[in-house]
mmCIF file of all heavy atoms in Angstrom:
data_model
loop_
_atom_site.group_PDB
_atom_site.id
_atom_site.type_symbol
_atom_site.label_atom_id
_atom_site.label_comp_id
_atom_site.label_asym_id
_atom_site.label_seq_id
_atom_site.Cartn_x
_atom_site.Cartn_y
_atom_site.Cartn_z
ATOM 1 N N CYS F 64 112.351 119.809 62.688
ATOM 2 C CA CYS F 64 113.765 119.592 62.266
ATOM 3 C C CYS F 64 113.677 118.490 61.054
ATOM 4 O O CYS F 64 114.397 118.632 60.121
ATOM 5 C CB CYS F 64 114.598 119.062 63.402
ATOM 6 S SG CYS F 64 114.895 120.383 64.706
ATOM 7 N N CYS F 91 109.848 120.305 69.309
ATOM 8 C CA CYS F 91 111.034 119.688 69.807
ATOM 9 C C CYS F 91 111.991 120.645 70.451
ATOM 10 O O CYS F 91 113.121 120.256 70.943
ATOM 11 C CB CYS F 91 111.703 119.019 68.510
ATOM 12 S SG CYS F 91 112.125 120.318 67.250
ATOM 13 N N HIS F 93 113.610 123.080 68.890
ATOM 14 C CA HIS F 93 114.671 123.648 67.959
ATOM 15 C C HIS F 93 114.005 124.511 67.032
ATOM 16 O O HIS F 93 114.669 124.793 65.954
ATOM 17 C CB HIS F 93 115.376 122.502 67.297
ATOM 18 C CG HIS F 93 115.732 121.312 68.156
ATOM 19 N ND1 HIS F 93 115.343 120.121 68.029
ATOM 20 C CD2 HIS F 93 116.567 121.433 69.308
ATOM 21 C CE1 HIS F 93 115.840 119.399 69.055
ATOM 22 N NE2 HIS F 93 116.477 120.062 69.837
ATOM 23 N N CYS F 103 117.732 115.634 66.588
ATOM 24 C CA CYS F 103 116.494 116.008 67.031
ATOM 25 C C CYS F 103 115.786 114.991 67.866
ATOM 26 O O CYS F 103 115.251 115.079 68.972
ATOM 27 C CB CYS F 103 115.692 116.731 65.995
ATOM 28 S SG CYS F 103 113.984 117.142 66.508
HETATM 29 ZN ZN1 ZN E 301 114.105 119.497 66.455
#
Side-chain angles (χ1 to χ4, degrees):
C64 294
C91 59
H93 315 119
C103 176

